[in-house]
Amino acid sequence: MLFTSVFARSPRRDTNVFTPNPHQPGVYQFRDNDRVYIMDVRKVWWVLMDGIVFDAAQALVAAARHNNSLSISLLLNYDSSAVDCEAALTTAVFHDSHLVLPLLLSASGIDVNKYIHGNTALLWAARFGCCRAMDILLHDPRVDVNVPGLVGETALHRAVEHGEFRAIDLLLRCPRVQVNASDYLGQTALHTALRVYHLGCAEIILNDPRTDVCVQDNEGKTAMHWAVNTNVLSLAHRMVERDPRVLTIRDTAGRLPWNGYSICM
């Protein structure tokens, strides 16, 4: 049986193949230019001849980075408890390695909502617009699609803040996503879109029937306040059409959002 190297040059194809060593049962090797890579199936070690040793956990992460499904299968079948599946999952998402994600998600005991460097796999996908990976994660019922990040932001907040339109579209298609979830500032994804002036993102969110334009942040401001303050009156007009009550909501300083807005109606 042949196994593919995690060190394949192409990050998206299983190309370089390990061949059996006829003198050492269970040992496979692969030559790339002047380097020889050795895999010992009995130990699940990946060894460079110059002395760099990859244990099972490191090998799994490397395989995830290179979208190498054959190596993932080998390592998980050998002993899934000996590897860090969550770190490999995050790596696979970060590199949008969609081929290996189903294998990692099927690993025994994997925590699909584990925080790695302050983010879950879904939050990483939203931040960098890794849409193939996100689509797979959203179809897994174990994935918490509303899990908060470091400042309470959800994946939807994260995608909006970084202008990832395709990621926003995928998230809004998921019925489990709470469109009006608030971060630590009390702001919804619609607030965030207007605050960072990503108007296209705000348009997409306003098109969702679940969007509540009357939600107030910690300063009592609705998205309408932000729209008027940034002079985005076309969106402010849409909010009034959605729910006229938004014109009567005051912030904590007692200010209404409509100062100057009625002139432009």
Side-chain angles (χ1 to χ4, degrees), residues 56-214:
Q58 294 169 321
L60 190 71
V61 170
R65 180 167 56 251
H66 290 282
N67 211 21
N68 192 316
S69 56
L70 295 180
S71 294
I72 293 283
S73 297
L74 170 68
L75 289 161
L76 292 180
N77 289 336
Y78 183 85
D79 184 5
S80 61
S81 64
V83 293
D84 187 350
C85 294
E86 290 82 8
L89 179 67
T90 298
T91 300
V93 167
F94 184 80
H95 291 276
D96 211 12
S97 302
H98 61 288
L99 297 179
V100 304
L101 275 174
L103 294 172
L104 291 169
L105 289 170
S106 67
S108 176
I110 187 172
D111 181 0
V112 296
N113 298 305
K114 183 177 180 179
Y115 287 89
I116 304 291
H117 302 300
N119 296 281
T120 65
L122 184 63
L123 287 170
W124 280 116
R127 164 62 180 86
F128 292 101
C130 305
C131 293
R132 290 180 297 186
M134 175 178 284
D135 191 35
I136 294 171
L137 291 172
L138 291 175
H139 282 86
D140 191 318
R142 298 170 299 171
V143 174
D144 184 349
V145 298
N146 302 298
V147 66
L150 293 175
V151 293
E153 80 283 17
T154 66
L156 185 58
H157 285 89
R158 188 72 65 84
V160 165
E161 185 171 3
H162 294 279
E164 298 291 349
F165 290 95
R166 291 178 57 203
I168 295 169
D169 184 59
L170 282 173
L171 287 163
L172 292 178
R173 290 182 187 181
C174 178
R176 294 182 289 138
V177 167
Q178 297 175 8
V179 179
N180 302 304
S182 299
D183 61 14
Y184 290 167
L185 297 175
Q187 295 185 347
T188 66
L190 182 57
H191 282 92
T192 300
L194 291 164
R195 175 172 56 81
V196 299
Y197 212 71
H198 285 169
L199 306 185
C201 299
E203 287 271 7
I204 296 173
I205 295 172
L206 276 173
N207 288 335
D208 192 292
R210 297 169 292 177
T211 300
D212 183 358
V213 298
C214 292

Side-chain angles (χ1 to χ4, degrees), residues 1-5 16-24 26-32 35-41 46-47 49:
M1 182 177 182
L2 301 180
F3 302 105
T4 305
S5 168
N16 299 321
V17 178
F18 275 98
T19 55
N21 186 324
H23 306 293
Q24 294 179 280
V27 175
Y28 297 79
Q29 66 183 34
F30 152 66
R31 181 178 295 277
D32 179 18
R35 281 188 168 181
V36 177
Y37 300 92
I38 305 296
M39 181 185 69
D40 189 332
V41 177
W46 301 70
V47 183
M49 295 304 288

